[in-house]
């Protein structure tokens, strides 16, 4: 019996040595781990999903939004005694920015961030020109940057400085041939393009009338500035305001006769800056169909439905990034909510519809991508037999539990404020914490741990000691439990750890 006792103590001593820096064995030092918690779709507040308007009650005021919030600048001319030399610039705005121009606009020239001349505005045969004397010392050879403040948009535009180099007595632009600094690249629409279009009047499902509107859109955002070439022929060209290459442009037509919005069956993609689609001789021909809607009856799967909060949850339909419908709670099936979803869309164009579900109880947004195909007048499922949403749950961890962990006595002496601890489920990092000093002076690790729904997941803790650069792993895992706590501030858990070799 005595020998059994001594053997047990020896084995216990060996296990203790594995968890310390003591003993003859050398353990590998490791760099601080770059742990990062798996990204999740938690939201801090209830989404404010709003359906994009499909059919306005009155003529829409479609306008591109250039608005900013810049204050009017207080630019002033420099002292001529400091900068006796100058060059002259005569500048005109691009056709796009000229649509914003007002008498309150300002323009100035800068070199190296310093204002070297404020423009005087002159109307020349109906054209707004900006005359600037750019002042500098005789030795100046820096780049000239032009800044334009639009009073209507409350936005300051800045030209590309490398386009113009200062030279004494240089003339940059004239009244007959003014220069056009590149301001657009600094604004909200850095990829301006142009498109020629012609409306096919013979195929219009309504009569053309006073009060009609035609505009270009990307998603639900107006992106066109219209120029009439021939109203009789309905031939127009548009400045298309691109935020990036590859955006898809469609046209919307408001019929004053029908008091309804129609959308073009044709679309095109924004190309490179300055590119032109079509021409006056060969414009893009547009035909239109009514902007319509479909109805779907939807419910949740059993796992997600078990967490449903009927008063706080939300459901919305999206076509691209445009909200096309918000769900209405109309019933219940097997304890799960049933929603009626009216989806606005485009009647003759098939479009995939994504459904987003906000779980109020978990503050989490789930998605069922491309689960519906839009068709005008279509009814998908029924209140009695709703479609179960194929929400993506794989890789999603909407549940939370907390943990408050302290180190066991055999390694507590090496703890520092730079130590790290993380919670893992398999290879996924589900929670992480830095060492915090408690009131009693010891270091603890407080963290939130994310978990999956409908699964039993073992959680393993890993600890990195900055003092000796050792990585430790907890001997035993604990089971994730949503809403529970593994240890508390008053009684933190103290799992045993082994050094990772």
């Amino acid at each position: 019996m005595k020998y059994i006792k001594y053997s047990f103590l020896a084995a216990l001593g060996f296990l203790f040595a594995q968890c310390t820096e003591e003993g003859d064995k050398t353990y590998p030092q490791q760099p601080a781990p770059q742990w990062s918690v798996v990204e999740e779709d938690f939201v801090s507040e209830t989404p404010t999903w709003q359906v994009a308007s499909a059919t306005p009650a009155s003529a829409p005021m479609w306008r591109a939004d250039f608005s900013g919030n810049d204050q009017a600048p207080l630019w002033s001319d420099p002292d001529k005694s400091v900068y006796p030399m100058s060059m002259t610039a005569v500048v005109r705005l691009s056709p796009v920015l000229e649509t914003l121009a007002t008498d309150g606009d300002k323009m100035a020239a800068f070199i190296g961030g310093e204002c070297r001349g404020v423009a005087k505005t002159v109307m020349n045969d109906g054209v707004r020109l900006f005359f600037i004397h750019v002042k500098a010392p005789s030795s100046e050879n820096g780049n000239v940057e032009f800044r334009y403040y639009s009073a209507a948009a409350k936005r300051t535009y800045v030209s590309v400085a490398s386009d113009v180099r200062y030279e004494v007595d240089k003339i940059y632009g004239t009244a007959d041939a003014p220069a056009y600094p590149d301001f657009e690249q600094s604004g909200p629409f850095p990829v301006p393009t142009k498109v020629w279009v012609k409306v096919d009047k013979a195929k219009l499902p309504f009569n053309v009338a006073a009060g009609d509107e035609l505009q270009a859109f990307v998603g639900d955002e107006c992106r066109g500035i219209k120029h009439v070439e021939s109203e009789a022929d309905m031939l127009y060209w548009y400045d298309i305001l691109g935020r990036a290459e590859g955006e898809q442009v469609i046209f919307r037509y408001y019929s004053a006769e029908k008091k309804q919005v129609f959308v073009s069956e044709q679309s095109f993609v924004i190309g490179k800056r300055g590119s032109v689609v079509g021409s006056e001789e060969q414009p893009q021909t547009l035909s239109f169909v009514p902007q319509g809607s479909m109805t779907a009856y939807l419910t949740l799967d059993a796992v997600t439905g078990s967490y449903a909060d009927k008063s706080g949850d939300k459901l919305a339909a999206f076509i691209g990034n445009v909200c096309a419908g918000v769900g209405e709670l109309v019933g219940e099936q097997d304890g799960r909510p049933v929603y009626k979803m009216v989806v606005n869309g485009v009647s003759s164009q098939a479009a995939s519809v994504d459904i987003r579900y906000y779980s109020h109880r978990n503050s989490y947004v789930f998605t069922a991508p491309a689960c519906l195909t839009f068709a005008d007048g279509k009814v998908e499922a029924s209140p009695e037999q709703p479609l179960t949403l194929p929400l993506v749950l794989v890789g999603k961890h909407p549940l939370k539990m907390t943990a408050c962990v302290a180190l066991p006595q055999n390694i507590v002496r090496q703890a520092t404020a730079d130590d790290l601890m993380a919670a893992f489920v398999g290879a996924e990092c589900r929670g992480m914490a830095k060492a915090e000093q408690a009131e009693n002076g010891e270091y603890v690790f407080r963290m939130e741990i994310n978990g999956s729904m409908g699964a039993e997941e073992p959680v393993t803790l890993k600890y990195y000691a900055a003092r000796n650069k050792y990585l430790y792993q907890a001997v035993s895992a604990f089971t994730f439990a949503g809403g529970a706590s593994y240890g508390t501030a008053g009684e933190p858990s103290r799992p045993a750890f082994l050094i990772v070799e």
Side-chain angles (χ1 to χ4, degrees), residues 43 45-47 49 312-314 356-360 363-365:
V43 291
E45 55 187 31
T46 303
W49 291 323
D313 292 355
K314 284 193 170 186
R356 299 181 193 177
Y357 164 61
Y358 167 69
S359 169
H360 179 257
S363 296
Y364 201 90
V365 174

Side-chain angles (χ1 to χ4, degrees), residues 157-169:
Y157 293 82
V158 181
S159 72
V160 179
S162 59
D163 285 354
V164 183
R165 184 173 291 277
Y166 179 88
E167 296 176 26
V168 175
D169 295 333

Side-chain angles (χ1 to χ4, degrees), residues 2 26 116 140 168 176 258 432 456 486:
K2 177 172 71 174
T26 301
R116 295 293 185 85
E140 182 65 73
V168 175
D176 294 328
K258 298 286 189 180
M432 190 176 68
E456 188 171 288
Y486 179 70

Side-chain angles (χ1 to χ4, degrees), residues 457-477:
E457 298 179 305
V459 180
T460 300
L461 295 176
K462 294 184 181 181
Y463 161 61
Y464 179 75
R467 187 191 299 276
N468 58 19
K469 295 182 172 60
Y470 285 0
L471 181 64
Y472 297 80
Q473 181 168 308
V475 174
S476 301

Side-chain angles (χ1 to χ4, degrees), residues 17 36 71 86 113 125 132 142 198 203 217 248 267-268 288 316 369 384-385 402 419-420 430 434 500:
S36 61
Q71 296 293 319
S86 69
D125 291 333
I132 311 174
K198 182 176 182 179
K203 292 185 178 179
F217 282 79
Q248 189 168 20
S267 64
F268 70 93
F288 294 86
E384 297 74 27
Q385 294 184 311
T402 59
D419 292 357
L420 299 172
R430 299 285 189 84
K434 289 193 69 173
V500 176

Side-chain angles (χ1 to χ4, degrees), residues 253-282:
Y253 192 119
Y254 171 76
S255 166
E257 178 195 49
K258 298 286 189 180
K259 291 185 169 50
Q260 185 177 355
V261 173
F262 296 76
V263 294
S264 63
E265 296 183 287
Q266 298 75 26
S267 64
F268 70 93
V269 173
I270 292 177
K272 293 189 178 298
R273 198 165 191 263
S275 60
V276 180
V277 176
S279 65
E280 182 177 357
E281 294 74 26
Q282 292 184 313

Side-chain angles (χ1 to χ4, degrees), residues 102-175:
T102 68
D103 291 340
D105 293 355
K106 296 183 179 183
M107 190 179 292
F110 285 73
I111 298 178
E114 181 184 8
C115 183
R116 295 293 185 85
V118 177
K120 289 181 172 55
T121 307
V122 175
M123 297 302 292
N124 182 33
D125 291 333
V127 175
R128 189 182 302 268
L129 299 179
F130 297 85
F131 287 78
I132 311 174
H133 288 292
V134 185
K135 302 169 184 66
S138 58
S139 59
E140 182 65 73
N141 65 351
N143 292 325
V144 180
E145 174 186 275
F146 294 94
R147 301 184 187 180
Y148 162 64
Y149 174 74
S150 167
K154 294 185 178 180
R155 182 181 292 276
T156 301
Y157 293 82
V158 181
S159 72
V160 179
S162 59
D163 285 354
V164 183
R165 184 173 291 277
Y166 179 88
E167 296 176 26
V168 175
D169 295 333
K170 179 178 180 178
I171 304 296
Y172 177 65
T174 66

